[in-house]
mmCIF file of all heavy atoms in Angstrom:
data_model
loop_
_atom_site.group_PDB
_atom_site.id
_atom_site.type_symbol
_atom_site.label_atom_id
_atom_site.label_comp_id
_atom_site.label_asym_id
_atom_site.label_seq_id
_atom_site.Cartn_x
_atom_site.Cartn_y
_atom_site.Cartn_z
ATOM 1 N N MET Y 1 8.028 5.088 14.285
ATOM 2 C CA MET Y 1 7.907 5.243 12.854
ATOM 3 C C MET Y 1 6.624 4.564 12.374
ATOM 4 O O MET Y 1 6.323 3.447 12.780
ATOM 5 C CB MET Y 1 9.125 4.622 12.175
ATOM 6 C CG MET Y 1 9.111 4.738 10.683
ATOM 7 S SD MET Y 1 10.707 4.182 10.023
ATOM 8 C CE MET Y 1 10.486 4.742 8.376
ATOM 9 N N PRO Y 2 5.882 5.227 11.516
ATOM 10 C CA PRO Y 2 4.632 4.629 11.029
ATOM 11 C C PRO Y 2 4.883 3.387 10.184
ATOM 12 O O PRO Y 2 5.901 3.279 9.516
ATOM 13 C CB PRO Y 2 3.996 5.737 10.198
ATOM 14 C CG PRO Y 2 4.992 6.815 10.064
ATOM 15 C CD PRO Y 2 6.129 6.538 10.980
ATOM 16 N N ASP Y 3 3.933 2.475 10.224
ATOM 17 C CA ASP Y 3 4.040 1.257 9.422
ATOM 18 C C ASP Y 3 3.693 1.506 7.963
ATOM 19 O O ASP Y 3 4.181 0.804 7.089
ATOM 20 C CB ASP Y 3 3.098 0.182 9.954
ATOM 21 C CG ASP Y 3 3.541 -0.341 11.302
ATOM 22 O OD1 ASP Y 3 4.749 -0.394 11.559
ATOM 23 O OD2 ASP Y 3 2.666 -0.713 12.086
ATOM 24 N N PHE Y 4 2.816 2.465 7.720
ATOM 25 C CA PHE Y 4 2.348 2.709 6.361
ATOM 26 C C PHE Y 4 2.783 4.091 5.915
ATOM 27 O O PHE Y 4 2.707 5.052 6.667
ATOM 28 C CB PHE Y 4 0.823 2.579 6.293
ATOM 29 C CG PHE Y 4 0.372 1.178 6.589
ATOM 30 C CD1 PHE Y 4 -0.013 0.817 7.858
ATOM 31 C CD2 PHE Y 4 0.358 0.209 5.591
ATOM 32 C CE1 PHE Y 4 -0.403 -0.473 8.153
ATOM 33 C CE2 PHE Y 4 -0.033 -1.082 5.870
ATOM 34 C CZ PHE Y 4 -0.410 -1.432 7.152
ATOM 35 N N LYS Y 5 3.230 4.171 4.663
ATOM 36 C CA LYS Y 5 3.670 5.431 4.084
ATOM 37 C C LYS Y 5 2.545 6.019 3.248
ATOM 38 O O LYS Y 5 1.713 5.293 2.703
ATOM 39 C CB LYS Y 5 4.899 5.217 3.202
ATOM 40 C CG LYS Y 5 6.104 4.750 3.965
ATOM 41 C CD LYS Y 5 7.268 4.509 3.037
ATOM 42 C CE LYS Y 5 8.459 3.987 3.827
ATOM 43 N NZ LYS Y 5 9.566 3.610 2.951
ATOM 44 N N HIS Y 6 2.548 7.350 3.145
ATOM 45 C CA HIS Y 6 1.541 8.016 2.330
ATOM 46 C C HIS Y 6 1.657 7.598 0.872
ATOM 47 O O HIS Y 6 2.731 7.288 0.368
ATOM 48 C CB HIS Y 6 1.661 9.538 2.451
ATOM 49 C CG HIS Y 6 0.992 10.059 3.672
ATOM 50 N ND1 HIS Y 6 1.494 11.103 4.391
ATOM 51 C CD2 HIS Y 6 -0.142 9.684 4.311
ATOM 52 C CE1 HIS Y 6 0.705 11.351 5.417
ATOM 53 N NE2 HIS Y 6 -0.297 10.496 5.387
ATOM 54 N N VAL Y 7 0.533 7.605 0.238
ATOM 55 C CA VAL Y 7 0.398 7.252 -1.164
ATOM 56 C C VAL Y 7 0.671 8.494 -2.003
ATOM 57 O O VAL Y 7 0.340 9.606 -1.614
ATOM 58 C CB VAL Y 7 -1.038 6.722 -1.400
ATOM 59 C CG1 VAL Y 7 -1.352 6.565 -2.864
ATOM 60 C CG2 VAL Y 7 -1.243 5.416 -0.651
ATOM 61 N N ASP Y 8 1.287 8.295 -3.164
ATOM 62 C CA ASP Y 8 1.458 9.397 -4.109
ATOM 63 C C ASP Y 8 1.096 8.889 -5.510
ATOM 64 O O ASP Y 8 0.691 7.739 -5.677
ATOM 65 C CB ASP Y 8 2.871 9.986 -4.056
ATOM 66 C CG ASP Y 8 3.956 8.984 -4.399
ATOM 67 O OD1 ASP Y 8 3.721 8.088 -5.248
ATOM 68 O OD2 ASP Y 8 5.054 9.089 -3.833
ATOM 69 N N ALA Y 9 1.213 9.747 -6.484
ATOM 70 C CA ALA Y 9 0.771 9.407 -7.842
ATOM 71 C C ALA Y 9 1.476 8.184 -8.415
ATOM 72 O O ALA Y 9 0.899 7.470 -9.241
ATOM 73 C CB ALA Y 9 0.964 10.609 -8.759
ATOM 74 N N THR Y 10 2.697 7.902 -7.974
ATOM 75 C CA THR Y 10 3.411 6.738 -8.517
ATOM 76 C C THR Y 10 2.735 5.420 -8.141
ATOM 77 O O THR Y 10 2.922 4.415 -8.822
ATOM 78 C CB THR Y 10 4.883 6.702 -8.056
ATOM 79 O OG1 THR Y 10 4.933 6.557 -6.639
ATOM 80 C CG2 THR Y 10 5.624 7.957 -8.497
ATOM 81 N N ASP Y 11 1.943 5.425 -7.065
ATOM 82 C CA ASP Y 11 1.238 4.207 -6.668
ATOM 83 C C ASP Y 11 0.291 3.701 -7.743
ATOM 84 O O ASP Y 11 0.000 2.516 -7.810
ATOM 85 C CB ASP Y 11 0.437 4.445 -5.387
ATOM 86 C CG ASP Y 11 1.291 4.323 -4.155
ATOM 87 O OD1 ASP Y 11 2.131 5.198 -3.914
ATOM 88 O OD2 ASP Y 11 1.119 3.334 -3.440
ATOM 89 N N PHE Y 12 -0.209 4.598 -8.550
ATOM 90 C CA PHE Y 12 -1.214 4.226 -9.537
ATOM 91 C C PHE Y 12 -0.636 4.113 -10.944
ATOM 92 O O PHE Y 12 -1.354 3.861 -11.889
ATOM 93 C CB PHE Y 12 -2.373 5.226 -9.474
ATOM 94 C CG PHE Y 12 -2.887 5.362 -8.069
ATOM 95 C CD1 PHE Y 12 -2.589 6.482 -7.321
ATOM 96 C CD2 PHE Y 12 -3.610 4.347 -7.472
ATOM 97 C CE1 PHE Y 12 -3.023 6.599 -6.011
ATOM 98 C CE2 PHE Y 12 -4.041 4.443 -6.163
ATOM 99 C CZ PHE Y 12 -3.758 5.571 -5.434
ATOM 100 N N ALA Y 13 0.679 4.283 -11.062
ATOM 101 C CA ALA Y 13 1.323 4.188 -12.358
ATOM 102 C C ALA Y 13 2.397 3.106 -12.393
ATOM 103 O O ALA Y 13 2.817 2.696 -13.458
ATOM 104 C CB ALA Y 13 1.960 5.538 -12.718
ATOM 105 N N ASP Y 14 2.814 2.630 -11.238
ATOM 106 C CA ASP Y 14 3.924 1.686 -11.148
ATOM 107 C C ASP Y 14 3.404 0.265 -10.984
ATOM 108 O O ASP Y 14 2.793 -0.065 -9.983
ATOM 109 C CB ASP Y 14 4.812 2.063 -9.965
ATOM 110 C CG ASP Y 14 6.119 1.307 -9.946
ATOM 111 O OD1 ASP Y 14 6.238 0.284 -10.636
ATOM 112 O OD2 ASP Y 14 7.030 1.744 -9.223
ATOM 113 N N VAL Y 15 3.644 -0.573 -11.970
ATOM 114 C CA VAL Y 15 3.214 -1.972 -11.897
ATOM 115 C C VAL Y 15 4.377 -2.902 -11.571
ATOM 116 O O VAL Y 15 4.199 -4.109 -11.473
ATOM 117 C CB VAL Y 15 2.530 -2.417 -13.209
ATOM 118 C CG1 VAL Y 15 1.245 -1.641 -13.436
ATOM 119 C CG2 VAL Y 15 3.471 -2.273 -14.388
ATOM 120 N N GLU Y 16 5.552 -2.344 -11.379
ATOM 121 C CA GLU Y 16 6.754 -3.139 -11.147
ATOM 122 C C GLU Y 16 7.012 -3.439 -9.670
ATOM 123 O O GLU Y 16 7.818 -4.286 -9.353
ATOM 124 C CB GLU Y 16 7.981 -2.413 -11.720
ATOM 125 C CG GLU Y 16 7.916 -2.205 -13.214
ATOM 126 C CD GLU Y 16 8.011 -3.508 -13.988
ATOM 127 O OE1 GLU Y 16 8.797 -4.383 -13.585
ATOM 128 O OE2 GLU Y 16 7.287 -3.662 -14.983
ATOM 129 N N ARG Y 17 6.352 -2.732 -8.769
ATOM 130 C CA ARG Y 17 6.637 -2.905 -7.341
ATOM 131 C C ARG Y 17 5.337 -3.014 -6.549
ATOM 132 O O ARG Y 17 4.264 -2.704 -7.057
ATOM 133 C CB ARG Y 17 7.456 -1.719 -6.815
ATOM 134 C CG ARG Y 17 6.703 -0.410 -6.818
ATOM 135 C CD ARG Y 17 7.547 0.771 -6.332
ATOM 136 N NE ARG Y 17 6.833 2.011 -6.548
ATOM 137 C CZ ARG Y 17 6.096 2.626 -5.629
ATOM 138 N NH1 ARG Y 17 5.975 2.129 -4.425
ATOM 139 N NH2 ARG Y 17 5.470 3.762 -5.905
ATOM 140 N N VAL Y 18 5.462 -3.458 -5.316
ATOM 141 C CA VAL Y 18 4.318 -3.465 -4.413
ATOM 142 C C VAL Y 18 4.186 -2.037 -3.890
ATOM 143 O O VAL Y 18 5.082 -1.524 -3.222
ATOM 144 C CB VAL Y 18 4.518 -4.463 -3.251
ATOM 145 C CG1 VAL Y 18 3.351 -4.393 -2.296
ATOM 146 C CG2 VAL Y 18 4.708 -5.867 -3.788
ATOM 147 N N THR Y 19 3.094 -1.397 -4.222
ATOM 148 C CA THR Y 19 2.909 0.013 -3.889
ATOM 149 C C THR Y 19 2.334 0.199 -2.488
ATOM 150 O O THR Y 19 1.803 -0.751 -1.893
ATOM 151 C CB THR Y 19 1.978 0.686 -4.907
ATOM 152 O OG1 THR Y 19 0.698 0.039 -4.829
ATOM 153 C CG2 THR Y 19 2.527 0.602 -6.318
ATOM 154 N N ASN Y 20 2.410 1.417 -1.998
ATOM 155 C CA ASN Y 20 1.843 1.731 -0.687
ATOM 156 C C ASN Y 20 0.343 1.461 -0.670
ATOM 157 O O ASN Y 20 -0.190 0.947 0.315
ATOM 158 C CB ASN Y 20 2.127 3.187 -0.323
ATOM 159 C CG ASN Y 20 3.600 3.456 -0.158
ATOM 160 O OD1 ASN Y 20 4.353 2.587 0.276
ATOM 161 N ND2 ASN Y 20 4.034 4.648 -0.513
ATOM 162 N N SER Y 21 -0.349 1.783 -1.762
ATOM 163 C CA SER Y 21 -1.798 1.539 -1.801
ATOM 164 C C SER Y 21 -2.098 0.035 -1.744
ATOM 165 O O SER Y 21 -3.065 -0.379 -1.100
ATOM 166 C CB SER Y 21 -2.428 2.179 -3.037
ATOM 167 O OG SER Y 21 -1.888 1.649 -4.224
ATOM 168 N N ALA Y 22 -1.273 -0.784 -2.375
ATOM 169 C CA ALA Y 22 -1.469 -2.236 -2.322
ATOM 170 C C ALA Y 22 -1.254 -2.763 -0.905
ATOM 171 O O ALA Y 22 -1.983 -3.646 -0.439
ATOM 172 C CB ALA Y 22 -0.530 -2.939 -3.295
ATOM 173 N N LEU Y 23 -0.275 -2.211 -0.192
ATOM 174 C CA LEU Y 23 -0.040 -2.618 1.198
ATOM 175 C C LEU Y 23 -1.217 -2.234 2.085
ATOM 176 O O LEU Y 23 -1.614 -2.999 2.975
ATOM 177 C CB LEU Y 23 1.255 -1.994 1.721
ATOM 178 C CG LEU Y 23 2.535 -2.470 1.034
ATOM 179 C CD1 LEU Y 23 3.732 -1.652 1.508
ATOM 180 C CD2 LEU Y 23 2.760 -3.957 1.276
ATOM 181 N N VAL Y 24 -1.798 -1.067 1.837
ATOM 182 C CA VAL Y 24 -2.981 -0.633 2.595
ATOM 183 C C VAL Y 24 -4.149 -1.570 2.301
ATOM 184 O O VAL Y 24 -4.851 -2.012 3.223
ATOM 185 C CB VAL Y 24 -3.336 0.836 2.273
ATOM 186 C CG1 VAL Y 24 -4.703 1.205 2.826
ATOM 187 C CG2 VAL Y 24 -2.265 1.765 2.823
ATOM 188 N N ASP Y 25 -4.360 -1.894 1.024
ATOM 189 C CA ASP Y 25 -5.437 -2.820 0.666
ATOM 190 C C ASP Y 25 -5.263 -4.159 1.380
ATOM 191 O O ASP Y 25 -6.229 -4.708 1.926
ATOM 192 C CB ASP Y 25 -5.464 -3.064 -0.852
ATOM 193 C CG ASP Y 25 -6.011 -1.891 -1.641
ATOM 194 O OD1 ASP Y 25 -6.552 -0.936 -1.043
ATOM 195 O OD2 ASP Y 25 -5.887 -1.925 -2.885
ATOM 196 N N ARG Y 26 -4.051 -4.675 1.397
ATOM 197 C CA ARG Y 26 -3.785 -5.960 2.074
ATOM 198 C C ARG Y 26 -4.101 -5.884 3.563
ATOM 199 O O ARG Y 26 -4.658 -6.824 4.146
ATOM 200 C CB ARG Y 26 -2.329 -6.370 1.882
ATOM 201 C CG ARG Y 26 -1.997 -6.812 0.503
ATOM 202 C CD ARG Y 26 -0.537 -7.198 0.398
ATOM 203 N NE ARG Y 26 -0.135 -7.404 -0.978
ATOM 204 C CZ ARG Y 26 1.107 -7.570 -1.362
ATOM 205 N NH1 ARG Y 26 2.087 -7.567 -0.466
ATOM 206 N NH2 ARG Y 26 1.390 -7.749 -2.635
ATOM 207 N N GLU Y 27 -3.719 -4.777 4.190
ATOM 208 C CA GLU Y 27 -3.981 -4.616 5.623
ATOM 209 C C GLU Y 27 -5.478 -4.555 5.898
ATOM 210 O O GLU Y 27 -5.959 -5.177 6.849
ATOM 211 C CB GLU Y 27 -3.287 -3.355 6.157
ATOM 212 C CG GLU Y 27 -3.495 -3.111 7.631
ATOM 213 C CD GLU Y 27 -2.779 -4.101 8.547
ATOM 214 O OE1 GLU Y 27 -1.998 -4.946 8.060
ATOM 215 O OE2 GLU Y 27 -3.008 -4.018 9.772
ATOM 216 N N LEU Y 28 -6.218 -3.825 5.079
ATOM 217 C CA LEU Y 28 -7.666 -3.746 5.277
ATOM 218 C C LEU Y 28 -8.317 -5.112 5.078
ATOM 219 O O LEU Y 28 -9.217 -5.492 5.846
ATOM 220 C CB LEU Y 28 -8.288 -2.716 4.341
ATOM 221 C CG LEU Y 28 -7.922 -1.264 4.608
ATOM 222 C CD1 LEU Y 28 -8.558 -0.355 3.575
ATOM 223 C CD2 LEU Y 28 -8.313 -0.839 6.006
ATOM 224 N N GLU Y 29 -7.871 -5.844 4.065
ATOM 225 C CA GLU Y 29 -8.413 -7.185 3.847
ATOM 226 C C GLU Y 29 -8.113 -8.094 5.030
ATOM 227 O O GLU Y 29 -8.967 -8.871 5.466
ATOM 228 C CB GLU Y 29 -7.858 -7.775 2.550
ATOM 229 C CG GLU Y 29 -8.401 -7.096 1.313
ATOM 230 C CD GLU Y 29 -7.737 -7.549 0.023
ATOM 231 O OE1 GLU Y 29 -6.901 -8.488 0.053
ATOM 232 O OE2 GLU Y 29 -8.044 -6.951 -1.019
ATOM 233 N N LYS Y 30 -6.916 -7.983 5.583
ATOM 234 C CA LYS Y 30 -6.534 -8.792 6.745
ATOM 235 C C LYS Y 30 -7.386 -8.417 7.958
ATOM 236 O O LYS Y 30 -7.915 -9.300 8.649
ATOM 237 C CB LYS Y 30 -5.052 -8.593 7.054
ATOM 238 C CG LYS Y 30 -4.538 -9.452 8.197
ATOM 239 C CD LYS Y 30 -3.069 -9.209 8.431
ATOM 240 C CE LYS Y 30 -2.957 -8.166 9.516
ATOM 241 N NZ LYS Y 30 -1.609 -7.865 9.946
ATOM 242 N N LEU Y 31 -7.533 -7.121 8.208
ATOM 243 C CA LEU Y 31 -8.343 -6.682 9.344
ATOM 244 C C LEU Y 31 -9.794 -7.118 9.194
ATOM 245 O O LEU Y 31 -10.476 -7.377 10.190
ATOM 246 C CB LEU Y 31 -8.282 -5.154 9.500
ATOM 247 C CG LEU Y 31 -6.962 -4.575 9.975
ATOM 248 C CD1 LEU Y 31 -7.017 -3.051 9.963
ATOM 249 C CD2 LEU Y 31 -6.603 -5.077 11.372
ATOM 250 N N GLY Y 32 -10.253 -7.197 7.953
ATOM 251 C CA GLY Y 32 -11.628 -7.604 7.691
ATOM 252 C C GLY Y 32 -11.867 -9.093 7.791
ATOM 253 O O GLY Y 32 -12.993 -9.557 7.654
ATOM 254 N N GLY Y 33 -10.820 -9.870 8.012
ATOM 255 C CA GLY Y 33 -10.981 -11.299 8.206
ATOM 256 C C GLY Y 33 -10.514 -12.154 7.050
ATOM 257 O O GLY Y 33 -10.670 -13.369 7.068
ATOM 258 N N GLY Y 34 -9.968 -11.527 6.018
ATOM 259 C CA GLY Y 34 -9.474 -12.282 4.874
ATOM 260 C C GLY Y 34 -10.591 -12.751 3.966
ATOM 261 O O GLY Y 34 -11.771 -12.618 4.280
#
């Protein structure tokens, strides 16, 4: 099973939860060295 789920329009409208796009951003920042 993939670790990351595809992003959809709710990622950019929902401020109440940690979105898939935010998880991707965190992973890229981590891979980049923080």
Side-chain angles (χ1 to χ4, degrees):
M1 181 172 191
D3 291 327
F4 295 95
K5 295 178 182 174
H6 278 144
V7 170
D8 61 34
T10 63
D11 278 71
F12 307 105
D14 191 343
V15 295
E16 298 292 321
R17 67 182 172 96
V18 177
T19 62
N20 295 327
S21 61
L23 295 173
V24 169
D25 286 350
R26 288 180 190 171
E27 180 70 6
L28 292 178
E29 290 173 6
K30 183 179 94 176
L31 290 175

